[in-house]
Amino acid sequence: MRLKAIAVMAGVALCATLSASLHAADYPTKTITIVVPYPPGGPTDIVARTLANSMERTLKQPVVVDNTSGAGGTVGSAKVARSPNDGYWLLLNNIGMATTPSLYRSLPYKPDDFTPIGLVATMPTVIIARKDLPANNLDELLAYIKKDPTKVNYGHSGIGSAAHLCGLLYQSAIKTRVTTIAYKGAAPAMTDIMSGQFDFMCEQTSSTVPFVESGKVKAMAVTSKKRLAQLPDVPTTAESGLAALDIGVWHGVYAPKGTSKEVVDRLSAALGEALRDPAVQKRYAEIGAVIAAPEEGQPAPLMNLQQAEAARWAPIIKAAAEYAD
């Protein structure tokens, strides 16, 4: 009886394996949904929609974007973590995948509830200031802050946002705390800095470059390793003597934990094709995003980056004691 039971169990396991293999061989056969855990129109949403348009041509099935926002990206991320691991529900998230475990003391999912597919692009940030701020570069900004930090205001687009993280990193680098003002998104923060309601902030290129070009705000530095083509006269933070202020808002694609290797490989291959797509490259360049190399559109590079970023940000967030919950 025991041998018979073992044989039955082995048969069931073999059938399950064969079924999964057949599913992977046919994949995809229906619409794929990419969840963006932020509102429409933002940088992550633009990255996702551009990617979806290209990937659906390769996969020969519709690829749609679902904006499930809330709680700093954790609502949409949790939705994908609970979704079937059959390759039809994906997550396109950003640096938040590495920072939310430190920013939230209670998460509705675990960091390892996802299977990485590959890196997509990195969005540099720009340190900007109200146009009438006396400082015109990072040296002058530091001198301005040191005179009386309590009278200097830093705005950001919400706890856990790129602007918030950049502000934490900047204050850590200069070893000085300033007054911070949290907004509900980049749009209201940009509106207020343009009207002079606070002194400076650090925000992604897609939100800042047009207003720098129009003279509504002034740019102090870019946080990328190289100067931006859109702002060639604005120095990098390294050029400005603040190499520690190196932050890029990277974006990656994930599937739920347990997604088969065959499906992951198919998705990574489609991602690699999208990264070679001239239309994708052009659109990302327009918003100031640095597109990943095709070889970076693989699980290992994304996982390695996420782990390194989590280790980097954890002590900075802990020292600031600014949590999202």
Side-chain angles (χ1 to χ4, degrees), residues 117-120 264 267-269 271-272 275 292-302:
I117 302 299
L119 187 66
V120 181
V264 169
L267 288 167
S268 291
L271 172 57
L275 297 177
E295 60 269 20
E296 293 177 310
Q298 299 288 327
L302 177 57

Side-chain angles (χ1 to χ4, degrees), residues 46-68:
I46 295 172
V47 168
R49 291 181 186 278
T50 304
L51 182 68
N53 289 338
S54 182
M55 287 183 69
E56 72 178 11
R57 291 194 294 272
T58 300
L59 295 169
K60 296 180 172 53
Q61 291 292 338
V63 180
V64 301
V65 172
D66 173 2
N67 296 93
T68 301

Side-chain angles (χ1 to χ4, degrees), residues 217-294:
V217 294
K218 62 173 69 174
M220 302 283 182
V222 296
T223 64
S224 53
K225 289 180 170 57
K226 298 180 179 179
R227 293 194 182 197
L228 302 181
Q230 299 95 324
L231 301 173
D233 297 328
V234 179
T236 67
T237 48
E239 289 177 300
S240 304
L242 203 60
L245 190 54
D246 177 7
I247 175 174
V249 185
W250 50 267
H251 297 74
V253 180
Y254 299 82
K257 180 180 180 179
T259 301
S260 72
K261 183 180 184 304
E262 291 83 1
V263 169
V264 169
D265 288 346
R266 181 81 174 103
L267 288 167
S268 291
L271 172 57
E273 287 300 311
L275 297 177
R276 296 182 183 91
D277 186 340
V280 174
Q281 294 171 353
K282 181 176 181 293
R283 181 61 178 132
Y284 285 176
E286 289 172 350
I287 61 173
V290 179
I291 193 168

Side-chain angles (χ1 to χ4, degrees), residues 102-103 168 313-323:
S102 295
L103 286 164
L168 292 183
W313 286 101
I316 296 171
I317 294 169
K318 183 178 180 180
E322 293 181 13
Y323 301 104

Side-chain angles (χ1 to χ4, degrees), residues 102-119:
S102 295
L103 286 164
Y104 287 81
R105 288 160 291 191
S106 177
L107 275 175
Y109 57 86
K110 300 187 294 295
D112 63 357
D113 282 342
F114 304 93
T115 297
I117 302 299
L119 187 66

Side-chain angles (χ1 to χ4, degrees), residues 34-37 44 47-48 51 90-94 120 251-254:
I34 299 178
V35 174
V36 173
T44 305
V47 168
L51 182 68
L90 306 176
L91 173 69
L92 195 149
N93 205 347
N94 55 32
V120 181
H251 297 74
V253 180
Y254 299 82

